[in-house]
Amino acid sequence: MSDKHYDALPKAHTTYANIIKSLLPIGDNAKVGKDELPQATYYVDDLHIDQGNLKDYRKICGFADDGKIPITYFSVLSQALQMNMMVKEPFPFAMLGLVHVDNSVTQYRPIGERETVAMSVAFDNLRDHAQGQQFDFVTTVKSQENVIWEGISTYLARGKKPDSNASSKSKPRPLTVKPMVDEEGTHAIFEVPEDIGRRYAFISGDFNLIHLHPLSARAFGFPKAIAHGMWSKAKCLAMMGELPDAYTAEVSFKLPIFLPSEVELIAESVAKLESSDNTCNFGLYSAKNDKPHLAGVVKLIAED
């Protein structure tokens, strides 16, 4: 077990210096086998929210300045720990080839913007997939000893796993069909500007080259830069009105949003969330051809 405790979140410039170093054929870049993940958990024991960064995050995603931390914000903060874990531990996959396919976040109560919390991130749940292997980063946020927020980010490492049993692989992802507009829900068509990737990168710390510029995106097989998936998820939730105090928001990322783009949000009414048996589905689609960019669902948390 490899645990590391930080006094604060690692800075972006330090993190990316470590990433570049990990890509060079120097030093000890030991890897574990692709049938296991490092046994590692990274912690920030006293996490103080940067109020300026939070303000910028609310603005770029569209969240209200209501004194509460948006449900997606801890996913953004946890990425600094995730990236350090991938370069400092014997991580079995190439970072640049990873695809963020799913994200689930749960808040158990509203979290004040000036609360001091503890955050931890761990590797979990390595499994086979038809296109390679998937694994999770599991993030936990605590106040005192109480869990107040949890998140799971699922990544796909493309490639063929040798000697794998086809029956044990993840099933193909279901097709996403654009639904009819819910008149009581949220329906909006909006522009995603060409520079949203660069602007969001400076706020989130995620400077993945596929998001920054067409030239850098082409180096990784994309014809244009693409929007960050976590920005698109946050943007949808911010546009859906007043969400519950305690809920889970899950999304599967579908086709990338090439920049610039015009997209269409179709969401059911959050007012229908009256019990844990109810769900509120939402999706983001291309306004030109109805192709899906993400499919999501909001669920109330069942009371104990």
Side-chain angles (χ1 to χ4, degrees):
M1 176 69 71
S2 176
D3 293 348
K4 184 172 179 61
H5 291 260
Y6 289 88
D7 295 329
L9 286 171
K11 299 297 185 183
H13 67 274
T14 303
T15 298
Y16 277 89
N18 288 329
I19 291 173
I20 293 171
K21 181 180 177 181
S22 74
L23 299 175
L24 300 176
I26 58 175
D28 182 17
N29 291 327
K31 300 285 186 182
V32 295
K34 291 190 176 182
D35 58 349
E36 62 179 315
L37 290 168
Q39 297 295 306
T41 304
Y42 282 25
Y43 300 84
V44 178
D45 297 311
D46 293 297
L47 177 61
H48 303 274
I49 302 301
D50 182 323
Q51 297 301 306
N53 181 260
L54 176 58
K55 180 179 179 180
D56 291 340
Y57 179 78
R58 287 188 180 122
K59 184 176 180 180
I60 199 169
C61 297
F63 287 109
D65 186 359
D66 58 2
K68 302 171 187 176
I69 295 177
I71 190 172
T72 48
Y73 188 56
F74 286 117
S75 282
V76 173
L77 297 185
S78 71
Q79 289 178 340
L81 294 179
Q82 293 176 22
M83 288 187 287
N84 275 273
M85 292 170 73
M86 288 188 282
V87 298
K88 293 184 178 181
E89 302 297 325
F91 183 63
F93 305 114
M95 282 184 60
L96 296 181
L98 296 177
V99 181
H100 194 182
V101 291
D102 297 297
N103 177 267
S104 174
V105 292
T106 299
Q107 71 172 34
Y108 293 96
R109 64 163 175 81
I111 304 170
E113 64 186 10
R114 298 192 181 275
E115 288 191 47
T116 298
V117 298
M119 174 186 285
S120 65
V121 180
F123 293 108
D124 195 29
N125 195 20
L126 178 66
R127 67 269 196 195
D128 292 347
H129 184 273
Q131 294 178 313
Q133 289 172 277
Q134 287 186 344
F135 70 94
D136 298 333
F137 277 113
V138 178
T139 302
T140 305
V141 177
K142 292 183 177 181
S143 175
Q144 304 299 325
E145 292 303 313
N146 298 316
V147 176
I148 58 175
W149 188 95
E150 291 179 297
I152 300 174
S153 291
T154 300
Y155 290 87
L156 169 67
R158 289 197 177 105
K160 185 176 181 180
K161 181 174 171 58
D163 301 323
S164 58
N165 186 339
S167 63
S168 68
K169 292 182 180 181
S170 299
K171 295 180 180 179
R173 294 159 72 83
L175 294 175
T176 300
V177 179
K178 180 180 173 181
M180 298 292 291
V181 172
D182 183 342
E183 297 297 336
E184 296 182 354
T186 300
H187 179 230
I189 296 175
F190 59 95
E191 298 288 339
V192 183
E194 186 275 335
D195 66 346
I196 193 66
R198 294 187 292 277
R199 288 164 48 208
Y200 184 78
F202 280 102
I203 295 168
S204 67
D206 182 355
F207 286 91
N208 190 322
L209 295 175
I210 63 176
H211 303 301
L212 303 184
H213 192 275
L215 291 178
S216 58
R218 285 177 198 143
F220 296 94
F222 295 97
K224 297 181 179 179
I226 65 175
H228 293 75
M230 286 306 299
W231 173 84
S232 60
K233 176 179 182 177
K235 184 70 173 178
C236 290
L237 292 173
M239 296 177 72
M240 288 169 60
E242 187 172 354
L243 292 160
D245 286 343
Y247 67 101
T248 295
E250 302 173 354
V251 299
S252 292
F253 299 112
K254 305 294 183 179
L255 298 174
I257 301 175
F258 293 114
L259 302 175
S261 281
E262 186 177 53
V263 296
E264 181 176 12
L265 169 64
I266 300 176
E268 295 177 327
S269 172
V270 295
K272 66 185 292 187
L273 295 172
E274 298 177 349
S275 75
S276 58
D277 295 328
N278 305 135
T279 59
C280 172
N281 295 292
F282 64 97
L284 192 64
Y285 307 87
S286 168
K288 285 186 176 181
N289 53 30
D290 298 343
K291 290 183 178 180
H293 295 303
L294 68 78
V297 60
V298 174
K299 308 173 186 176
L300 284 180
I301 298 172
E303 295 183 4
D304 295 331

